[in-house]
Amino acid sequence: MSLEAVLVVASALFSVGLYGALTQQVVVMVMMGLELMLNGVILAVAGFWYFLAPEPTGQVLLLVVIAAMTVEMAMGFAVATLLHRSAGTDMVDMATELSG
C-alpha cells in the first residue's frame, strides 16, 4: 500500500460524504455524510503521518480525534432523537427549534 492509494481512498470517502451531506434532508443522513467527510480527512492525515513521519505521537493524536468524533456523533444523534420525539420530524428544514 502506498501513500497515493491511501489518499485516493480518503478522497473517495470525503467525496461520498460531501455528496451525502449536500443532498440529504434527513438529519441523521446529513450527520453520516459529515462523519464520512471527517473520516476521509483523518485517513489522509493518518496516511501522511504513517508514510512521512512514522512516530507514535501522531497515532495517539488520531485516537484522541476519533474519540472526540465519537462523542460528537453521540451528541448529534441525541439531538436528532430529541428533535424527532418533540416535533415528530427528522428533516433538516423543519428543525427551526434549534435556532434559539
Side-chain angles (χ1 to χ4, degrees):
M1 179 164 285
S2 65
L3 178 61
E4 291 84 14
V6 171
L7 292 179
V8 166
V9 172
S11 64
L13 274 176
F14 188 84
S15 300
V16 170
L18 181 64
Y19 176 75
L22 292 178
T23 58
Q24 297 295 320
Q25 300 231 342
V26 178
V27 174
V28 175
M29 296 301 288
V30 171
M31 288 173 37
M32 290 178 70
L34 293 174
E35 188 72 21
L36 276 177
M37 290 171 56
L38 286 172
N39 284 332
V41 170
I42 286 176
L43 182 63
V45 170
F48 279 121
W49 255 317
Y50 181 76
F51 287 104
L52 299 180
E55 296 177 8
T57 56
Q59 296 170 359
V60 171
L61 180 62
L62 285 176
L63 288 176
V64 169
V65 170
I66 290 172
M69 284 178 40
T70 304
V71 171
E72 173 254 334
M73 287 305 290
M75 293 300 295
F77 282 121
V79 168
T81 302
L82 180 65
L83 179 68
H84 181 68
R85 285 184 182 173
S86 66
T89 183
D90 58 351
M91 304 297 280
V92 174
D93 295 337
M94 296 180 183
T96 57
E97 295 176 12
L98 298 176
S99 64

